Amino acid sequence: MTLDTTLLLGEILVIALFGGFGANYGLIFCCFYQLWYVLSKTLAEDAAWKFVKEKAFDMVTINPAMVIGSLLQPTLNTSAAAILQLLNGSETYPNSTFGWVHVKDVALAHILAFENPSANGRYLMVESVAHYSEIVKILRELYPTMKLPEKCADDKPFTPTYQVNVERAKKLGIEFIPLAESLKETAESLKEKKFY
């Protein structure tokens, strides 16, 4: 990557779900479900790609899924709040499936993309795609005495998992931290910061 290359942190949900359908489908989805944060990240990345195309310089985007791991900040972010809800004695878990990645992997991807002159395009950052039932199962294995949700929030079939191609991230040099380790570090960080 050259000095005039820009790094941009992007949002992966729309990419993973609607990458093959075109941007408009993802934007309609975000508006319909009022996913304003996801929409803002999607529109920002789209505008950035248009800008660099007009100005003829390189850009690399690091597109993480739900980012978990140790919290540096004193406040909750969306991803940590999702785990905290499970740890705080919630009766149910959401019927949702997300990609998950450790914050250290995301930070390392930024460094590697900056230091690698041939880095280009998008790097999708997802260690695992898991339904909340799987997240609860892992947390139960890690903390067998903790009160965790026993059932899903609805009786509908579980939202399906999906695949995310992370080969480009691996070629960049990322060796993803396993989901169980990421969840353990998240839980311990939340406890250390007295969130539960």
Side-chain angles (χ1 to χ4, degrees), residues 53-189:
K53 186 176 181 182
E54 287 174 13
K55 303 298 179 187
F57 64 92
D58 297 327
M59 182 175 80
V60 172
T61 60
I62 306 299
N63 300 91
M66 295 281 274
V67 180
I68 56 176
S70 292
L71 297 170
L72 295 178
Q73 74 279 6
T75 58
L76 278 177
N77 59 20
T78 302
S79 303
I83 302 304
L84 179 61
Q85 183 179 357
L86 302 174
L87 298 171
N88 260 343
S90 175
E91 295 292 320
T92 61
Y93 52 82
N95 188 359
S96 300
T97 299
F98 290 106
W100 303 88
V101 64
H102 197 292
V103 66
K104 290 177 186 173
D105 291 333
V106 177
L108 180 60
H110 281 84
I111 293 166
L112 293 173
F114 184 75
E115 292 177 342
N116 184 341
S118 64
N120 63 66
R122 286 177 154 170
Y123 291 88
L124 306 181
M125 298 297 296
V126 179
E127 190 283 325
S128 292
V129 174
H131 187 272
Y132 270 95
S133 61
E134 181 66 19
I135 302 301
V136 171
K137 179 182 173 194
I138 293 168
L139 289 170
R140 188 167 280 116
E141 290 168 2
L142 292 169
Y143 306 102
T145 60
M146 184 175 282
K147 183 182 181 319
L148 294 164
E150 297 288 337
K151 62 181 185 167
C152 189
D154 64 43
D155 294 329
K156 297 176 185 172
F158 285 175
T159 57
T161 59
Y162 48 88
Q163 294 184 350
V164 177
N165 186 340
V166 294
E167 287 307 309
R168 296 190 78 232
K170 288 180 177 179
K171 287 179 183 172
L172 193 61
I174 298 297
E175 294 178 18
F176 288 101
I177 296 168
L179 179 58
E181 187 178 331
S182 299
L183 288 169
K184 182 175 183 179
E185 195 172 313
T186 305
E188 290 174 4
S189 180

Side-chain angles (χ1 to χ4, degrees), residues 35-49:
L35 302 172
W36 307 125
Y37 176 77
V38 176
L39 179 62
S40 71
K41 298 289 272 189
T42 303
L43 291 173
E45 185 185 358
D46 184 53
W49 282 114

Side-chain angles (χ1 to χ4, degrees), residues 10-32:
E11 184 65 40
I12 199 168
L13 178 65
V14 171
I15 298 165
L17 295 177
F18 307 109
F21 295 104
N24 288 340
Y25 190 77
L27 298 179
I28 292 167
F29 176 87
C30 289
C31 289
F32 182 80

